[in-house]
Amino acid sequence: MAYSHSRGAVTIVAVNSRARRARFIALTHDLYADRPEWVAPIRLERSLHLSEKHNPVFTHLTWQAWIAVQDGRDVGRITAQIDALRPPENNQRIGFFGMFETIDDPRASAALIATAQAWLDERDIDRVQGPFNLTINDECGLLIDGFDTPPMMMMPHGRDYYLAHLEAQGYTKAVDMLAYWLPLPFERPRVMQRLLARYAKRIHIRPIDRKHYADDLVVLRDIFNDAWANNWGFVPFTEAEFDDLGSTLKLLIDDELVQIAEVDGEPAAFIVALPNLNEAARDINGRLSPLAIAKLLWRLKVRFPKSIRVPLMGVRQRYQNSPMGAALAYGVIGAVEQALVARGVNASELSWILDDNQGMRDIIESIGGHVYKTYRMLEKRL
């Protein structure tokens, strides 16, 4: 049964054992038990995500996690982390908080936040930003609207009181990130048709090549790290992280769901569309029993989900804010849309898009996409 209020004193305990890590992961199952839209994360995946042995992000990330305990129950959680790849901003060292979940009790929130801030302050961090679960290339952002819609795979959910709890502790908006909902198929606008015709002889679009998969992963990482380099909070994917991501993609998706655009033979843009694992996993409650695994495989590989998410897309900087750049974006979106419609997909989430990325927003809105969720990144000077 879900709970929202408690009365006792709050105790904060460090996550320093396998048992406490399991409690840290399991806490959300109680917290969201009364929310019909919520989808339980797969516990094994969350455990591997937090494993310094299995997650390559920990080669450059130091971190600590805590649980809030009240009246003998786990009522909240938080992490603090420092990423060696995150450069300073205005000569300020940046630290992160993340994986923030709590009951609706400001004392629990305050205790968790104070604990994470103290850990960062002890390590000479000047400014804290978040939530990052664990980096900007993972789940990130605090949901501030769209609470009645299910979370898409690899996107966070949240309770509607989280923002007030964080603002009460002095956190303010850093940037907003948008999730777009795009019904499929979409009608090609004239500007899309005109730009693709204009550059038809120069742009070639192809799916990822499984026979040369490792080489294409290098291409994707290179485009992404170039395309996103000037975005807020950017931290590049390392080779090990992208290889790990690529191993997951190879299991989940067909080649046609990754499209690469080349200009005069040189890779210039790409898009990745993922079948919505959350749609396929709604009824397994986060546990991978043999029957649950069989269900997931059938739903992902045979039936295929009706919804997908586009988590990765990029156009090289030298083409951004130009007609060629728009043509590249339209080209990869159109190519992957054809593959999705052929599989019976009727809806897609494109996320996330920075709220000031007007060029990409215009492209998505021109093909019928609309903002249906907003995620906020918060920050505070320590």
Side-chain angles (χ1 to χ4, degrees), residues 109-253:
S109 296
L112 286 164
I113 294 164
T115 300
Q117 289 177 173
W119 187 90
L120 293 167
D121 193 38
E122 290 170 0
R123 288 156 180 80
D124 298 321
I125 292 300
D126 303 301
R127 182 176 294 274
V128 57
Q129 295 175 338
F132 294 91
N133 302 343
L134 296 160
T135 76
I136 199 166
N137 296 322
D138 297 309
E139 294 179 355
C140 60
L142 186 77
L143 185 67
I144 63 172
D145 62 47
F147 297 98
D148 58 342
T149 56
M152 190 67 70
M153 68 172 300
M154 299 171 63
M155 289 293 284
H157 200 50
R159 300 302 299 249
D160 57 7
Y161 51 83
Y162 286 180
L163 180 60
H165 283 209
L166 286 161
E167 288 178 338
Q169 299 303 313
Y171 283 82
T172 59
K173 173 184 173 180
V175 67
D176 280 351
M177 306 180 303
L178 309 175
Y180 274 85
W181 192 253
L182 175 65
L184 300 179
F186 59 78
E187 184 177 349
R188 267 70 170 160
R190 290 183 181 179
V191 63
M192 178 179 182
Q193 298 177 51
R194 184 168 63 250
L195 285 170
L196 291 176
R198 177 179 174 181
Y199 295 107
K201 293 183 178 180
R202 298 186 61 192
I203 295 177
H204 172 67
I205 300 172
R206 64 172 178 85
I208 196 169
D209 185 351
R210 198 162 291 252
K211 293 181 179 179
H212 301 93
Y213 194 78
D215 293 336
D216 272 353
L217 281 184
V218 173
V219 168
L220 297 182
R221 183 170 70 93
D222 184 60
I223 296 174
F224 179 87
N225 285 345
D226 175 72
W228 285 62
N230 295 324
N231 281 359
W232 182 90
F234 171 74
V235 173
F237 270 108
T238 66
E239 181 178 352
E241 289 168 23
F242 215 81
D243 286 347
D244 184 65
L245 175 63
S247 296
T248 302
L249 294 181
K250 197 171 186 179
L251 292 173
L252 279 178
I253 62 177

Side-chain angles (χ1 to χ4, degrees), residues 50-98:
L50 297 177
S51 168
E52 296 183 16
K53 178 180 178 180
H54 293 96
N55 190 344
V57 74
F58 290 111
T59 61
H60 55 89
L61 195 78
T62 56
W63 78 305
Q64 180 60 55
W66 298 270
I67 300 169
V69 182
Q70 196 175 48
D71 295 337
R73 298 184 301 182
D74 295 340
V75 298
R77 72 181 195 185
I78 201 168
T79 65
Q81 53 265 18
I82 301 170
D83 193 336
L85 299 182
R86 176 67 182 268
E89 293 180 12
N90 301 318
N91 295 318
Q92 295 179 357
R93 295 189 68 217
I94 307 299
F96 307 140
F97 78 92

Side-chain angles (χ1 to χ4, degrees), residues 288-334:
L288 285 182
S289 66
L291 178 59
I293 293 172
K295 283 183 177 179
L296 283 179
L297 288 175
W298 187 82
R299 292 168 180 175
L300 290 173
K301 293 293 187 179
V302 181
R303 186 176 69 182
F304 206 87
K306 299 301 181 184
S307 60
I308 64 96
R309 176 177 172 236
V310 174
L312 294 174
M313 180 177 171
V315 176
R316 286 196 183 276
Q317 287 188 47
R318 67 174 176 268
Y319 298 115
Q320 293 175 7
N321 302 312
S322 72
M324 173 66 84
L328 288 166
Y330 276 127
V332 292
I333 291 173

